[in-house]
Amino acid sequence: MRVGTIILPEHSWRDARRIWRSVEDMGFDHAWTYDHLAWRSLRNGPWFDSLTTLAAAATATARISLGTLVASPNFRHPVTWAKAVMTLDDLSDGRVVAGVGAGGRGHDARALGRPELSPRDSADRFREFVELADRLLRGVEDDYRGRFYQAVNPASAPGCVQRPRVPFALAASGPRGFALAAEYAQTWVTNGDPRRFGEVPEAEGLALIAAQRRELVRACAAAGRTADLATLVNGSVVGDHPLGSVERFVDFAGACAEAGFTDLVVHYPRPDGPFAADLAVFERIASQALPVVRAM
């Protein structure tokens, strides 16, 4: 199992540079940041743009994979987003993973003065976003006219470092999302129950993500694809404080591996509030638990 961490885009660059470098030095396999204009109880504090943050992180690191967990169609357009992702892939020398979701409800959905979409329309928009971004990142420059997005002779040069394009990590929790992931994703991402973010007891959460993975496997079979994509779970949301100790982390990672997951992410510790944890314990987990978990 591979292990990564989520670094919220709340740090000034001096601190962020140190943090991104440190998680690479600790041996994590990948590092991510949220793509929101603001986030829940942290919306009145510092919060920087995710793509710009990743550009800076790419210049501060050399090995670790980097990505959005996940980009939001609420305020992103696939033409400009694909161009930014292509640029990030160049800056990082081919280490970017393009995480995308359908876009949540709340502030991000309303910030541009548009009405929130119904679940059906959100799923339709998600498909269009991924479909057009896939074309652009592969270098297809034909016009595209969808219900939500249009592109007229888009310029895709020079293309991605990673071929045929950067890998997609698609967040999905329902049948249409699973079908989209089966068609386009290299990684599937889950936060468990999107309606109860971080509020589900661990046993229930583990059962839910295992059931979701079984649905994904069925969607892959229906699409004529073997279930060869990676599967990533946000352990800080599904688990009950997995950063409590080295032993606690290993036990939780083992449960995720048993459920069939290839990748686990946890939040980089914050001093208080959401995702608060002890940095010293986090560092011990990196040095003592990562070798154990990788063997799972």
Side-chain angles (χ1 to χ4, degrees), residues 74-142:
N74 281 328
F75 54 87
R76 301 288 184 191
H77 190 287
V79 170
T80 53
W81 181 80
K83 180 68 75 170
V85 167
M86 182 193 71
T87 304
L88 285 171
D89 199 43
D90 180 75
L91 285 172
S92 67
D93 195 21
R95 292 183 289 124
V96 165
V97 180
V100 191
R105 305 183 72 81
H107 174 72
D108 282 354
R110 299 188 299 266
L112 300 186
R114 301 168 183 162
E116 291 191 26
L117 298 183
S118 67
R120 179 181 294 276
D121 285 346
S122 182
D124 289 342
R125 183 183 65 178
F126 188 21
R127 170 164 282 280
E128 281 192 19
F129 190 104
V130 172
E131 183 179 71
L132 177 52
D134 171 73
R135 290 160 55 94
L136 293 167
L137 290 168
R138 290 177 184 270
V140 178
E141 298 187 351
D142 296 339

Side-chain angles (χ1 to χ4, degrees), residues 2 10 49 65 68 73 96 105 123 148 157 164 174 178 180 197 203 232 237 248 267 275-276 279 282 294:
R2 296 178 294 268
E10 58 184 339
D49 173 69
S65 296
T68 47
V96 165
R105 305 183 72 81
F148 297 94
F178 292 134
L180 189 66
F197 186 88
L232 182 150
V237 176
R248 176 77 191 96
H267 281 74
F275 312 119
L279 181 58
F282 183 77
R294 281 208 184 90

